[in-house]
Amino acid sequence: NSPFDCEQGVARRSRDQASGRGLDEAHFRALGGCPSGNGQEQPHGQTMNSLLWTLAAAASAEVVRLGYFGEAQPFQVACARGWFDTEDGGDDFQVVCLPQASGGFVVSKLDEGDLEVALLGSTPAAFAVARGVDIKHLYVAHEKGSSQGLLVRPEIQSPPDLDGRTFGTPFGSTAHYHMMYIQTLFPDVRFDIIDLNGLNPLDLYDAGTIDGAFVWGGWIDGLVQRNATMLFPAQVLSDWGKPTFNTISARADFAARRPDVLERVAGVIARLDADYLDDASTRWGAGAGGFVADVAAAYGASASPTQAELDTAAAGLSYFSFVSPDTMQGPDYLGGGIAAALKATARFHLETNTVAAVAPAGTVDEDAFYAATTSAQSLADGLASIPASVLDTAGTGVTSIPESADSTCSGTVDLTATTGTLTDGATTSYSNNLACEWRIASGGVVELTFTVFRVWTGDFVEVFDGSTLVAKLHGFDRAWPPLRTTGDMTVKFTTDGVTERAFNYLLTDGWSASYDAEALVCAADHSTCGNGKCDAASGLCTCDAGYGGADCSLATCLGTTTLTGPTGEFRSSPTAPDRDEPYPNSAECHFVADVGTSFGYVSFTVTYDVEPTFDFVSVNSGDVTWARLSGEDTATILVPTTDGKASLVFTSDSRGRRGGFSATYVAKSVTCASNADCGGHGTCDDGGTCVCDTGYGGLACTVPHCLDGAPKVTGESMVMVSQAPGEPVPAAADCTWEFQAAAGRSVRVVVETLDLEPYRSAAKEGDMVVIRSTGATDIELTSTSFQKSYDIASSGISVSLETDRNDVGETYTGLAATAYAVDACPVVGGECEEQGFTCEPTSGLQGPGCYDGGRAVGCACDLTGCPEGSFFDESTGGCEACRPGTFKSATGPTPCEPCPKNFYAPESGAAMCCRQGWVLVDGFCRQCGQNVGAYVLKGARCNAANGTTVATLEVKEHFFRFSPESTSVYRCPEDDDACRGSSPGLEGYGNGLCKTHAHGPLCMLCRSGYFRNSKTKEDLKAVSECVRCDRIGEQMKQLLTVLLMIVAWALVILGIRRLRSRFNRQWFEAVLIQFVYFAMTMSRFVSIHQVPLPGFSQLVMRALDVFTFDLSSLHSIAQCYRTYNYFHFLMLATLGAPALLLVFIVCAVVRAVARVVACGAPAAPQNALAEEGAAAEAVPLHRRVAAAVRQDLGGVLSKWMLLISLFHSAICCAIFQIFNCTVKYEPFDRKFLVSDYSIRCSGPGYEAHKAYAIVCAVIYVTFPLCLFLVLWRPRRLAAGGEEQRKDPRHVDDGALAFLTNNLKAEYWWFEVLAIFLRSLVTGFFRFKADVKISIVLCLIVTIIHRTFVLQLKPYASSGLQHVVEALMRFALSIVLLSVCLVGDLIEDSKDALWMVTLVFLLNVASLPLAYQAFVSESYRGVARRLQAHEPVEAEEVEELLRSAHAEAIREDVRKRSRQILREAFDGKLRDESWTYFTGTLLALEGVWAPEVHAEEVLQWHVESMLARAKKAGGDGAIDAGAVERSVDIVAGPLAATLTEECLSPTAAFERLRRAQPPGGAPITLLRVYAEVLKPFFELDDQHPQKLWHSRKENPVLHLAALARNKSDQISTSLANLHSPPKSPTSPSSFSLSRSSSGVSSARSLLREASDPDDVAPTREENLASGLAKFRRAATKIQIVRAFASAREPRRLERFVDLALIAHDLNQQAQARIAEAAAKVLDEPRGADVVALKSFDNGTDQPALRSAELVAFKDKVGGAALESELDASVCVGALHDLANAAFPAFKKALEKLFPPGTEGVELECAADVAIKKKTRMRAKVDEYRREAKPWPRAEKLGDCLRASVVVAGAEQVVAAYEALAKDDIFKVVRLKNKLAGRVKPFNLLVNLAFQPPAPPGLAPLIVEVQIVPKAIYDKQKASHRLYSIARASNYASFSGKKTAVDTAPEAADDGGDVEAPTAVRPGRHAEVARRPSLMSLPSFLSWTRTSTRPVVAPAPAPRLDAPT
């Protein structure tokens, strides 16, 4: 009685109206709850007050619509009393109960959203789930019991009495389910069933329309009152296996959004059901005020039911079987039983053709799918939250009963006003069976706008523009866009007979709209058209594809869409097909392509996803439907135009939705212009019409089955085929063919095949064919009733194939028939033979029938004379095959006979019987398990109990056949496990033989979402299986295998690279390469030839596949992510190599740029030797980048060539795979690619790729020939040269060196030949030959290859030779085994296993022999001794120099030699080691004599040479004399090479001087020598090296060091010349260690040193420079065209490298000597040493100063012989005198300097003390050139000499004083070079010595050198280094050619008498005075102290002076 705020309620309604909550204002006020005035409540009593409270709750609560049926249920009490409702402050709701007609309507309303929760029978529930309606079952309301049943007229007493009668039931209900079950129980009883949905069965029964009905509830009572009896209660049928029940179900989206609602609904119903089942409950009596009264009201009684109505309600409750809530949660119900029952019901629906499938398409697990639709959670939660006390609450009670509707519209209303309103006129709810129409007249645009729209499912508002549908609308609380027409608009409202009004709640429905007959046209700027464009002609919007409505705002199609262009696009929604945005139910959309009359056809390409057999996309032309598309697919349909138009019509039924469709269309003038227009399944004839392959439909032959429409055929015949081979019979089809014969002729229809689902007319299930003709009765053909031919007395017929929704999982071959035009019988209905014709019962040109010769005649024919294997069957009027178990072996009317005992005829049509183990094929018995001729039955078994037919052949495991008619059983690949053989219940052919998820030919393909995974079984057999793509672990295993193999390869390569021995590296690299060759070739050989290797051997080959990166296993994985096949792999394999090269090049460029730019940000000065602070120009970036790129490209090309050669076999195999097709498989006569069974070896795609593969094969197979030519060319050029430059292996193969490094020189071509032969083995012969012939040819190639290896022994290493022989033996074994296995020479699998395993093990066991050869290689011993500094024999080394290890041993010898020089420099070398070095190591001509590119030698010495030039010349200008004087200091042993004019330092100086601009930088000695060295590094752009030559550049040339300041480095290097090297960055240390760390690029140094900081060039100079660059670029282009320049790179001997190292070290040794001398002079007695002044009293050898000697010379020859006498007689005499005097000389010295004296050591060994004759003669010859007087030998003052080694300056003075004071010696000459600080930094004392014994010896001038020990030790090292450095080449060192010594030994500078110097020809006099080789300090000292030049210094050159 509380006041009620009306205004608040109205306001609340205005907010909630759109969501369906509460009441609108008008209806609310109509209840009388509020007056129109002050809004206060009116006193209507308690009942109205309760209603108002209900309405108030409704105004604020969400309305939940619950549907129920008109039968008594306990939960109806909750509906009446409002117990479902709740209001808890935000989640409040009110449940509105609405009665429903049947379960079919409930499903539609749940799917459409008109209901949230509903009572649903098990049949419609299963129907809904099977069709994809997303609902959840949360409660079992009841089991049917006797609440339903078939009630029939009294005279129907038993099931046979049903025959011929008609019965009704609501279709889609549980009653309908049981009615169809009755039909299946009694198939011979034929009765019709009509749909009672929307009809009253009582009226129909009274009218005699039906003889009974399967119904429930009040209809049962009504029929019983009419004396009907129940023949079949539902309980009986449930007991027979078809249980029915009702569930409480909810929409899935609502269940997820509002679980609280479902919890309360389930809990309240559970409490009511439990109370009803409680016998102690007193609430359920039939008295007034109890629960039964509420049930009676819901059951259809009044609000105050009578006692009779109460009794009826109580009886209605008793009909049902209710389930206790606790039991309901168990496994028999919501725990699994309900799901199983629903699935079984859906299966029955499938079998009775009411659904297309048991579950929606794509469902993988049907059981799990159905289980997911049921849940006991809501029930459990409801029981926990809803107490039993809820039943004690009063509730609202029954306050209203649905009244009849009150619509006011009817008939047709014409509206002429400009604006107005349209409405159904109902105040509460619109009426049933309405047909209202409004016609709005207008001459312009009419716009209709809906203001309210609540139209239930099954009722429609339709809007038309003339006859064109604008919209067909329904829905509850739907917001529709405005609708427009041009001209008159018609609006129709039609309703069905179903009442939809809420029980106990006024839920309003209906609609209203306003219109404007003079609406504005659309805006020209399209702003009013939303997702569309304004059509100016019509004034209406043309919406984008998928949009609808006048303003194109609705995101779904609506009404009719028309496009006028020759092309266009249609969609059901903007994103269609899209299941996330499904299309609406009960939709009807028309799409018109108006292309104009100039086009005769329209081609629609439709991609559709619509519910199969329920929703359709129809393709129409005019009134003719050409195709109806349903399901999910893409189809192209070509149709003729009608008045220039063709259309699509999209329709959906009331339930079940999918993603929709999209379509494009193209207008065409003709059907086809070429075969390409016929869909790949037909040919284009001359008339522009496609002639389709058998079974393909459509004008363009694009659909693999017949279509609704087909062109009418006129002429002689017409072929009719229902579907293409292998395709199913089309579902829900109505295919029609029309045939017209010429006038006066008749038609014969010959049925070749009629294999359809059996047809049951009573249930209207199954498929049939109907022949129709004018004026004749239709002829129905079913698979169980048809004749072979039909003669029809009409010239025109139509043949229709009518099919139902599915074939219940069966496969049928369909219809194949032909209509022929035949001559009409002369007498209508006349007999064939009576008319003089012949009857042919089974054969004839036009089928069985009557013939006049070869002409068919349509007379009646006797077809009883049947051939063998058949008999005449009167029921079909033709010959029928003998039944199984019988046979007939002769033609005639005789019957078929039974087979004899133990013989069988298991199939019909047998002409003979076969025994067990045989099968009847083509009229003969064939034995299973044998291959005989064309019958391949080795893989088949014939073990059927009653005989085996071809169709029932059992196929063994690992075998496959393609069709049930095939007699060819093929073996599946050995390495695949997908062929499981025949299994009971599965097809014995095709995919039925495949394991789960496998399919296709030989089961070699995996279904979508699966990939092929390889695994190893317990028996070590590798097999493959199909695995789900979402099993990431399996994918990762394969990917991880590849990754691990990459890591393993990297570790192996890294391990080899880290081997310290070059030999070990080379040997293992060579073995690895050979093993890769072998593994790559054999792996691909076995793969492409499908060799069935057993067990262990198969595992070995699989390992080789992995080792060689066979990625074929990843092909299948790739299909998980995209469409991938062999063609993609072919492109990857063939284009991978050039792509990889491009990647390598790009990486090299990027790496070079990054190294230069990133590492070299502070650009290095262009003149690295510029003085500090001078302006330096940066090296241009492009020059640095170009140099860096050039450096990397050689290595890149080498790596690429190596990879290509390694994988050449794999690439070739990938190409040859396209020729590797299977045999032709019967019966389809198709071949498939062995590597990819999804590809057929035919068709344009295959042929195009095959042509591409042939081109690639030519390229890759001839690739070895290209390699041969590249290797042969330099050898051809070198063949005419100078004996290959002393080295038979001198040819530098650059990037291809890996092919020749390990071969003997004469067999340089062998590896190229091997690559070619290996490519042949990997499948080349499959181009034309079959597998067996290909293997034999491969065997021949392998034998040839192995013969070459054995006979030629081409490998220089014996160990490698053994390895290759072992691998070739292994390869030959594999090929031989392949011949045996593929050729079936070894048939027994066990024999094959042990034999192959034995062969494999024997071959593997031979590999240790190769390793033993490696261990025993002679190189290893030699290398080990060299590394241990142990001596080796020259003969051993010479032998190795002729082997493959020549470079390794050369490097070892050179490395040891460099170490010895270092030890000599450090003074740590023993004398015997030096002797070993000079006598053994330096005697190896093969190490030192070969010439290499000068760059490889000089790159280690450029920095030190430039440093010496910098030091010698300083930063100032120099003259030519300074250049001449510097040669030996700077160049050392390279001086002889620089005598060439182009290399001469003098010439370089002149070039620089001539090119020097005015005011330019001074010409320094550094620039001169940079100019001299440039040609060695080919920096001159005018003379580039050969482009063919690609050598590996040393890391020293890395340009990363450009970022450093070269001046600092060279300054450091110069400083190091005067001190022992302290870091590896000093030049000599670098030249020894060959380390690139911290060392600048030789090229960059030369560029920097040669490019001074000149003044800025003028414009003219810039122009000249540009022209010069242009000319150089042109030259380079020419060079590129010629492939090589004419100029060869300069070459130097390897010995020069050693000599330059010795020169570098000697320069450092001399610096150390000078430093030691300075220290001596700094000692306390150093001043005394300086005080010893040099003098010479002119005394020469007394023995030669006699007149007799001169007279003797004059007497024997005079001047003519004086040189010979001097060199022989005089020198000989002095040498003999020295020998004789030596003992006395030594004794005298030992007396002065006794052994053991502290600080004094005497060095006076005979081999050193007595000067050698050769050196004496050389000295004499030098005196002769200096024109000294004869005898010149008298000047030799050191023919007998000794050294006194003293501790320091004090001992120097003491030693000299001892000599000067001794009586036996007399000092005649002193040279104090220690005080002068010049070489050799000692005191040279010449003494006159009279030997005391033997008597009579002449006096002798001897020499004693007093030298401090610190200097003496270093002089010894210097002398050793000098002995190497003074030789300019190996020949001069070894004495193999005459070499004049132009310089004395290091210790000979002094002691001899000097005469006045003379000028050498071509040299300045000052130059002549110096020794040819001297140290840098001596040179500097000499140049500084020389003040008396014979000629004046040359003046500074003038700019205009002549050159």
Side-chain angles (χ1 to χ4, degrees), residues 509-525:
D509 54 33
W511 62 275
S512 63
S514 62
Y515 73 89
D516 182 357
E518 295 181 355
L520 298 175
V521 299
C522 57
D525 61 356

Side-chain angles (χ1 to χ4, degrees), residues 827-892:
V827 177
V828 177
E831 294 291 333
C832 180
E833 295 180 351
E834 290 179 0
Q835 301 300 321
F837 305 135
T838 302
C839 185
E840 298 186 9
T842 60
S843 62
L845 296 177
Q846 296 177 352
C850 185
Y851 284 86
D852 180 8
R855 184 169 57 88
V857 180
C859 295
C861 185
D862 180 12
L863 305 178
T864 59
C866 298
E868 61 182 20
S870 63
F871 71 102
F872 181 75
D873 188 345
E874 294 181 356
S875 64
T876 62
C879 295
E880 301 297 334
C882 293
R883 294 181 175 86
T886 64
F887 75 102
K888 177 183 172 185
S889 58
T891 300

Side-chain angles (χ1 to χ4, degrees), residues 455-542:
V455 177
W456 296 98
T457 299
D459 306 331
F460 298 97
V461 174
E462 297 172 284
V463 180
F464 294 89
D465 184 351
S467 62
T468 301
L469 178 68
V470 175
K472 184 177 182 181
L473 309 176
H474 76 284
F476 206 86
D477 277 332
R478 291 290 298 272
W480 296 106
L483 305 176
R484 290 188 171 198
T485 63
T486 54
D488 296 349
M489 174 186 286
T490 301
V491 181
K492 297 181 179 180
F493 179 44
T494 56
T495 65
D496 57 18
V498 179
T499 301
E500 287 145 327
R501 285 182 291 279
F503 167 50
N504 209 28
Y505 186 84
L506 292 177
L507 185 67
T508 62
D509 54 33
W511 62 275
S512 63
S514 62
Y515 73 89
D516 182 357
E518 295 181 355
L520 298 175
V521 299
C522 57
D525 61 356
H526 314 296
S527 59
T528 59
C529 290
N531 300 291
K533 302 292 184 182
C534 180
D535 180 14
S538 64
L540 303 181
C541 294
T542 300

Side-chain angles (χ1 to χ4, degrees), residues 510-754:
W511 62 275
S512 63
S514 62
Y515 73 89
D516 182 357
E518 295 181 355
L520 298 175
V521 299
C522 57
D525 61 356
H526 314 296
S527 59
T528 59
C529 290
N531 300 291
K533 302 292 184 182
C534 180
D535 180 14
S538 64
L540 303 181
C541 294
T542 300
C543 298
D544 296 341
Y547 288 94
D551 56 0
C552 302
S553 62
L554 185 65
T556 184
C557 64
L558 197 65
T560 304
T561 300
T562 302
L563 298 180
T564 57
T567 62
E569 179 184 15
F570 298 126
R571 288 180 182 268
S572 58
S573 64
T575 59
D578 181 2
R579 292 196 180 185
D580 292 334
E581 297 291 339
Y583 53 78
N585 287 325
S586 303
E588 181 179 346
C589 299
H590 298 250
F591 304 88
V592 180
D594 187 354
V595 298
T597 56
S598 60
F599 294 101
Y601 300 89
V602 174
S603 176
F604 291 98
T605 299
V606 187
T607 299
Y608 54 95
D609 177 20
V610 299
E611 189 184 9
T613 73
F614 290 95
D615 303 338
F616 296 91
V617 179
S618 300
V619 187
N620 299 343
S621 179
D623 296 331
V624 178
T625 298
W626 284 81
R628 292 185 307 137
L629 306 177
S630 188
E632 185 176 7
D633 203 352
T634 296
T636 299
I637 309 295
L638 181 70
V639 297
T641 59
T642 300
D643 298 330
K645 299 178 182 179
S647 64
L648 300 177
V649 178
F650 170 55
T651 56
S652 63
D653 70 348
S654 62
R655 62 191 73 99
R657 297 176 289 168
R658 295 291 189 274
F661 83 95
S662 66
T664 59
Y665 73 85
V666 177
K668 303 181 70 173
S669 299
V670 295
T671 301
C672 61
S674 66
N675 292 342
D677 295 332
C678 295
H681 301 288
T683 57
C684 186
D685 63 13
D686 296 337
T689 300
C690 288
V691 179
C692 299
D693 296 343
T694 301
Y696 281 88
L699 296 180
C701 309
T702 53
V703 182
H705 56 76
C706 61
L707 297 176
D708 292 53
K712 186 174 183 178
V713 177
T714 60
E716 292 296 319
S717 64
M718 176 182 69
V719 177
M720 298 163 285
V721 181
S722 59
Q723 75 260 23
E727 296 291 333
V729 175
D734 188 9
C735 301
T736 301
W737 296 269
E738 294 185 76
F739 178 68
Q740 181 66 50
R745 306 189 75 187
S746 60
V747 178
R748 175 178 296 165
V749 177
V750 178
V751 181
E752 289 94 11
T753 301
L754 187 59

